[in-house]
Amino acid sequence: MAYAPLANSTYLDFTGYRVTSETSVEAAYGVTGTAPTFGFNVALVLERNSDPMGLLSENWATRQKTLADLNASGTLWTTYGADQALYDGVVAQLQGASYNLAVLDGTNSNYVSSAESRTIWVEINSAADFANLFQNNTLTMAAIADPSPVNTFLYWTGSLSLPEEWNVAGLWFDTESLPNPSNMTPGQSATLPQGPQSIGNGSLNLAHLPPQQIAALYNFPLDGQAVATGTIGLIEPVTGSVLPNDPLGTGFEASLEAYLASIGRTGTGSVFVQGADGQNAAEGGAGERSLDVGVVAAVNPNSNIALYNGSGFTAATGNAQGTTFTAIQSAIWDMTANPAVLSSSFGDVNSMSPGSPFYSAYQQLFVDAALRNKTFFNALGDGGSGNLIGTGLTELFYNDISPYNVMVGGSSLTSFASAPTDPSLVNAVLAPALKGDLGTLWMLVAGGLKSLPADAASLQVFVETVWNAYYVDGTDITINPGQPFEGGYLVNTTSSGGVDVTQPAPFYQTQYGLYPVATDPLAQPGRGAPDVTADAGGNTVYVVPNDAMDRLSLSGGTSAAAPLWASLAIQFNAIFHDQGLPDLGFANDLLYIASAVAPGSFNDVALGNNISSFTLGGLYESNGTALTPTGYGYEAGPGYDLVSGLGSPNGVLLGRALTAIAHAQMSFDSSPAMLEADGNGWESGADQTLLFQTMTGSSATIGLGLGGSAQIFGSTASALYAWTNRVAQQSLQDDFDSGLVKLFDKQAQGAVMQASISAGDDLTVAINASMATAIQGVLSSPFGFADFVTGAGAVRVARPVAVAETAGGADDQTAVVRLRQNGEDSLSLSVFRVDDLSGTVDGLAPGAAGYAAAAAGRVYAASNGMTSLDGPGYGGYGEYVLTNVDAGDMIAFRLTDRTSGNVFWGFAQANEKVNGQPVGHLWNYGLNTWGFEDQVGGGDHDFNDLILQFDFTSTSGSGWLM
């Protein structure tokens, strides 16, 4: 057989990427001697029959339909697994006389070996075995002075080789280590401010909450409902269900039931354990396990829980060392419990070089998860921007980050009760909020605030900030006073976050307009992380079982935020099933679409940082170690950022957005988008009338290219607190404070005009003669709008009609209409079916003689028989259920101001004219949401006198999202 060296297969490619600049293992680890050799196990991962990247880059519905077809025909893994004949041949050769190696699989170990997984685990018991397999005779057992994380380890020198005909694409050794960090920023230092290093983590009155109460703060949709949610898989390498003096965890389920009873919960969920014979209390992380289990069981007590030990680490499991890789692989390929949602708070410390077989093996695990339709949540880490490593650069655990995982960061929730004792919040946020400062309140509303702040104690979230508990006292870097944990730059204290420079930004980030670049001197581009965030500690900590599962303890970290998100996802799966949809599976793109079209689905975390990059040695001290801060990291800000991602969830609003998007993709994929990408530009997807809404900080001139014609109009500046998609959508919650609504009344928008365009016509937008780009147009255009952006502001192009994309594409459905009134007059709304996207009714265009009468004949009735939907009054909220809505119906709107007697139409051509031009009274606020201006001539131009939203999917099934 012809052997070929594997590129990037040195030991430092396995463990030391971006950690060490040394070129030898001895120098990188400080090897002091050798020790007797012991055995280990290695996975050979073969090439796939076909590359699935094309499939996984399709939209969510196409992926779901294709996976369903492949599963139904039994060809999913003959397509995307290894060639069975090749696999069998390699196994036979490994077991034959040439190698005489034991192949490990489910019959003799806790490993996964199969053609479907493309993995062959083999047992290496000597240096001779290693040399024979890899054509490398340098295997050495090293001894090192530093015992962290291990004081002996096996390593090799040079590259590894394998037979070319085996088509090995990846390798994983079931062992982990990390070299000593090199100083990669020589001469760089930063002086840290005294006191808290970030805002919103320093209260002396922490909230200690069981997980279900934290879920309630995030508006989880099935909170308090006795719904049978599905199985959640938890990655718990070597730990599983182990208890003190109970290595097999026979009493684990009873201990979990006792915990649930202590926090007022009960349910029908049971516990499944993979690889219990490999559990080892001394080698695992029992506290981490108890945190994970406590979160998912408390939030969804009717969910079964599956715990994955992986290969194990006991005498019974031989050479196995229970790396996280093996636990993830066990979870993905478990056909017994078969969880649809997975959460991991663990990771292997190895830092693998991109392009190495080790990196490939790890990344392909998550491809398998996507192909098996798993939704995978991964805790990003708790080490701040430096990730506890000490190179001076910003760092992440790159092996855990994948385009197909939802990476979860950490935040700090602060209630009204906790805020007064947090000195970082008192003057910066609390005092101005209590005084009614509009800028502060505007930021808080974007972050999820639902009621005007008061000084009374309340569990309601006041502000959410980045989880960063670092505190500097002189030259000591420690943790904020009052925190129940140890902390510092070398202990889990702060949300990780930044840029994974080993891989490019995935398609859903670039379509969102993100091109992340690391803030350290190397300034490398890559995948932004996290994707989302949730409470991890700071001013609100979790009440969960302790490591022994026999009493309550306080805990947190992104290791709490990840299972919290997994608990939300399993609720979404239940809702999806109830509406006739498949599991979420790999759905990162749906999250980014939801943020683009329905930003109210996320609470925007806009305050705080995770700065903690450092090198070893220096004038500061943290956790007993001298170090030098280098000052690189990431700041939160409005919208997506590299500390909090898209934000934390508003569970109900996110559930509504996800189901609407999913049904649209599954059942309306052939419907024309508002705009279609045309090379580097855009063209109209249909014959239609469109809104052009100006959003600029100063007066602007807008130029439109509409096929062969051009239009120019001017706009005044938008008011500082002109309503946004996020605020409009958040206001459409029944518990949103009317006082907050009225506080932001009379904030003027820019100019709005309407124009018609034909299908296939090119469309361009310029602001002050600078061509604008529809950065998120691919995401938002299928839902009826796109923002064309320059440095001066944006122009939203939007449809003035709703298109009824019903659940499953069904006819004769009901739909919810939500209303929020911010106008002082008595108002009513009627909605009617039109024949096309230009508002035509029975051949009559808007404004034509007889149009009003024709529209009146098309009005939808509510379930109470009303055809005129009363406005809920100034600041008020109301909702109606429309009947007899068919799939694809095009729905237009008419507002009646009963106080003045005036009528205003969504299509401007039917409205009054000023200076010969029809006046627009309608403004689009994202996914099926619009706002009306209720005064002749445009009034105060705030377009929030009546906010209306159509929801075509939430009444389906059990109506859990209504």
Side-chain angles (χ1 to χ4, degrees):
M1 289 185 293
Y3 274 78
L6 302 176
N8 305 307
S9 62
T10 70
Y11 189 78
L12 291 180
D13 285 316
F14 180 47
T15 67
Y17 172 74
R18 215 174 135 97
V19 175
T20 181
S21 57
E22 301 289 351
T23 57
S24 74
V25 176
E26 293 82 2
Y29 280 85
V31 173
T32 58
T34 61
T37 300
F38 59 83
F40 63 93
N41 301 324
V42 60
L44 311 183
V45 182
L46 307 189
E47 288 276 9
R48 297 183 187 274
N49 272 331
S50 301
D51 185 351
M53 294 304 102
L55 169 61
L56 296 179
S57 297
E58 297 282 359
N59 73 19
W60 177 84
T62 300
R63 296 195 300 268
Q64 290 294 330
K65 293 174 182 178
T66 303
L67 289 175
D69 290 345
L70 290 169
N71 276 310
S73 65
T75 58
L76 177 60
W77 298 110
T78 57
T79 303
Y80 295 122
D83 178 83
Q84 186 71 55
L86 173 63
Y87 181 90
D88 292 342
V90 175
V91 169
Q93 291 180 59
L94 288 166
Q95 292 173 327
S98 297
Y99 299 100
N100 197 27
L101 296 175
V103 171
L104 304 172
D105 58 23
T107 65
N108 59 3
S109 71
N110 293 322
Y111 288 104
V112 174
S113 289
S114 65
E116 291 82 1
S117 69
R118 309 167 335 284
T119 304
I120 307 169
W121 280 97
V122 295
E123 187 176 74
I124 304 292
N125 288 317
S126 67
D129 288 344
F130 182 88
N132 189 34
L133 178 60
F134 292 112
Q135 302 295 291
N136 184 310
N137 62 4
T138 66
L139 187 69
T140 305
M141 175 64 75
I144 55 177
D146 183 355
S148 176
V150 291
N151 59 11
T152 60
F153 65 97
L154 282 164
Y155 73 94
W156 62 89
T157 301
S159 297
L160 305 176
S161 297
L162 285 170
E164 284 185 284
E165 66 189 50
W166 289 2
N167 287 343
V168 173
L171 290 175
W172 184 256
F173 291 86
D174 191 11
T175 184
E176 59 176 328
S177 73
L178 190 72
N180 299 320
S182 297
N183 184 345
M184 297 189 180
T185 57
Q188 174 64 29
S189 64
T191 300
L192 303 179
Q194 295 294 297
Q197 297 301 288
S198 189
I199 192 170
N201 290 261
S203 177
L204 299 177
N205 181 27
L206 305 185
H208 300 170
L209 301 180
Q212 75 271 19
Q213 291 188 24
I214 294 176
L217 293 176
Y218 286 123
N219 202 20
F220 276 30
L222 301 183
D223 178 48
Q225 298 196 45
V227 175
T229 42
T231 300
I232 300 177
L234 300 176
I235 308 303
E236 309 292 347
V238 189
T239 305
S241 60
V242 72
L243 296 173
N245 303 313
D246 183 5
L248 295 180
T250 56
F252 184 84
E253 201 154 347
S255 296
L256 179 57
E257 290 173 0
Y259 161 69
L260 291 174
S262 73
I263 60 169
R265 301 290 269 179
T266 185
T268 60
S270 61
V271 178
F272 164 85
V273 183
Q274 173 272 332
D277 64 342
Q279 296 178 171
N280 187 331
E283 298 291 343
E288 184 71 69
R289 178 276 321 274
S290 298
L291 170 60
D292 293 343
V293 170
V295 170
V296 300
V299 176
N300 293 306
N302 294 325
S303 274
N304 294 335
I305 298 171
L307 305 177
Y308 293 94
N309 282 289
S311 62
F313 201 158
T314 64
T317 57
N319 296 339
Q321 294 184 40
T323 53
T324 302
F325 178 102
T326 67
I328 293 172
Q329 191 171 52
S330 295
I332 292 169
W333 291 100
D334 171 29
M335 304 297 183
T336 303
N338 199 23
V341 175
L342 300 173
S343 176
S344 177
S345 299
F346 287 85
D348 294 313
V349 299
N350 310 46
S351 185
M352 296 93 69
S353 298
S356 72
F358 322 110
Y359 183 88
S360 173
Y362 228 111
Q363 287 296 305
Q364 290 301 312
L365 278 182
F366 304 122
V367 174
D368 286 342
L371 292 172
R372 288 223 61 230
N373 213 30
K374 310 289 188 186
T375 309
F376 200 117
F377 294 89
N378 211 311
L380 186 58
D382 302 347
S385 65
N387 214 37
L388 314 180
I389 293 176
T391 61
L393 302 173
T394 60
E395 299 279 10
L396 293 168
F397 287 128
Y398 305 112
N399 52 2
D400 296 329
I401 302 174
S402 163
Y404 311 110
N405 292 355
V406 180
M407 304 307 302
V408 184
S411 65
S412 169
L413 290 174
T414 302
S415 67
F416 291 137
S418 296
T421 61
D422 186 336
S424 69
L425 289 172
V426 170
N427 294 323
V429 180
L430 181 61
L434 292 173
K435 291 178 181 177
D437 178 73
L438 291 183
T440 301
L441 292 171
W442 187 254
M443 175 196 67
L444 294 174
V445 168
L449 183 73
K450 293 184 183 180
S451 65
L452 280 167
D455 56 5
S458 171
L459 185 60
Q460 187 200 331
V461 175
F462 169 62
V463 65
E464 187 169 12
T465 59
V466 174
W467 174 51
N468 177 345
Y470 297 135
Y471 186 93
V472 173
D473 183 6
T475 57
D476 186 22
I477 305 172
T478 180
I479 195 169
N480 278 309
Q483 290 288 310
F485 317 111
E486 180 187 4
Y489 274 14
L490 298 174
V491 176
N492 291 341
T493 312
T494 293
S495 180
S496 297
V499 181
D500 179 356
V501 301
T502 70
Q503 59 183 293
F507 70 91
Y508 47 82
Q509 288 193 336
T510 57
Q511 289 175 353
Y512 195 83
L514 302 175
Y515 297 90
V517 176
T519 58
D520 59 47
L522 299 183
Q524 294 172 286
R527 184 214 197 283
D531 297 303
V532 295
T533 195
D535 183 65
N539 289 342
T540 297
V541 295
Y542 291 74
V543 178
V544 292
N546 70 338
D547 54 356
M549 296 287 293
D550 60 3
R551 59 181 174 82
L552 298 178
S553 67
L554 302 178
S555 193
T558 60
S559 299
L564 189 73
W565 264 96
S567 300
L568 177 58
I570 207 69
Q571 293 191 9
F572 288 156
N573 272 356
I575 293 167
F576 269 44
H577 297 166
D578 187 57
Q579 294 190 9
L581 292 165
D583 286 334
L584 275 170
F586 160 50
N588 294 36
D589 49 339
L590 291 193
L591 294 175
Y592 282 78
I593 295 171
S595 176
V597 304
S601 303
F602 293 90
N603 307 309
D604 189 19
V605 179
L607 295 174
N609 69 79
N610 73 343
I611 297 171
S612 71
S613 63
F614 68 96
T615 55
L616 296 177
L619 299 178
Y620 285 87
E621 183 176 292
S622 187
N623 313 112
T625 299
L627 53 79
T628 297
T630 56
Y632 303 118
Y634 302 91
E635 300 273 354
Y640 179 92
D641 59 64
L642 293 168
V643 199
S644 65
L646 300 170
S648 64
N650 181 320
V652 170
L653 298 193
L654 181 56
R656 290 172 182 166
L658 292 175
T659 50
I661 296 165
H663 283 297
Q665 290 190 0
M666 292 290 284
S667 301
F668 296 88
D669 58 320
S670 62
S671 299
M674 181 189 71
L675 301 177
E676 302 282 358
D678 176 21
N680 294 323
W682 297 89
E683 63 180 31
S684 177
D687 295 340
Q688 58 193 324
T689 297
L690 297 174
L691 299 165
F692 296 87
Q693 305 170 184
T694 311
M695 300 170 284
T696 56
S698 58
S699 58
T701 299
I702 310 302
L704 305 177
L706 304 170
S709 65
Q711 295 195 28
I712 297 175
F713 65 97
S715 176
T716 58
S718 305
L720 191 58
Y721 306 114
W723 279 37
T724 62
N725 290 10
R726 185 186 301 274
V727 171
Q729 292 168 13
Q730 287 173 318
S731 77
L732 292 165
Q733 301 177 86
D734 60 0
D735 58 349
F736 194 87
D737 189 347
S738 63
L740 276 174
V741 174
K742 292 185 282 188
L743 189 66
F744 293 102
D745 192 9
K746 306 185 190 328
Q747 297 285 330
Q749 303 283 1
V752 60
M753 64 89 68
Q754 293 188 19
S756 296
I757 188 170
S758 299
D761 281 354
D762 290 336
L763 186 149
T764 61
V765 177
I767 304 175
N768 296 332
S770 177
M771 293 304 297
T773 304
I775 296 172
Q776 296 180 349
V778 170
L779 305 183
S780 64
S781 180
F783 301 95
F785 73 99
D787 289 348
F788 284 74
V789 181
T790 72
V795 171
R796 172 165 301 156
V797 181
R799 285 174 173 162
V801 296
V803 179
E805 295 183 330
T806 58
D811 290 335
D812 196 19
Q813 299 295 293
T814 56
V816 179
V817 179
R818 300 185 181 91
L819 303 176
R820 174 67 72 174
Q821 185 169 332
N822 204 19
E824 299 175 60
D825 289 358
S826 174
L827 304 175
S828 67
L829 176 75
S830 61
V831 298
F832 55 98
R833 182 173 56 83
V834 295
D835 295 328
D836 55 37
L837 294 169
S838 295
T840 303
V841 178
D842 292 335
L844 298 173
Y851 184 78
R858 298 279 194 87
V859 171
Y860 289 89
S863 57
N864 60 4
M866 294 177 60
T867 56
S868 179
L869 311 181
D870 292 336
Y874 190 33
Y877 172 83
E879 63 183 47
Y880 296 87
V881 176
L882 299 184
T883 58
N884 302 312
V885 178
D886 289 337
D889 277 3
M890 289 171 279
I891 303 173
F893 340 116
R894 183 187 70 185
L895 180 75
T896 299
D897 185 328
R898 291 169 170 166
T899 302
S900 67
N902 293 312
V903 173
F904 305 106
W905 301 82
F907 285 94
Q909 300 92 320
N911 293 331
E912 78 281 11
K913 294 183 178 180
V914 173
N915 297 325
Q917 295 297 316
V919 177
H921 282 264
L922 191 70
W923 192 274
N924 175 271
Y925 286 108
L927 179 64
N928 289 328
T929 306
W930 291 265
F932 264 106
E933 171 56 50
D934 69 356
Q935 298 296 305
V936 170
D940 56 16
H941 226 245
D942 57 7
F943 292 96
N944 59 18
D945 296 318
L946 190 69
I947 302 290
L948 58 135
Q949 181 183 77
F950 291 87
D951 180 347
F952 297 109
T953 59
S954 291
T955 61
S956 64
S958 302
W960 286 326
L961 291 174
M962 287 184 63

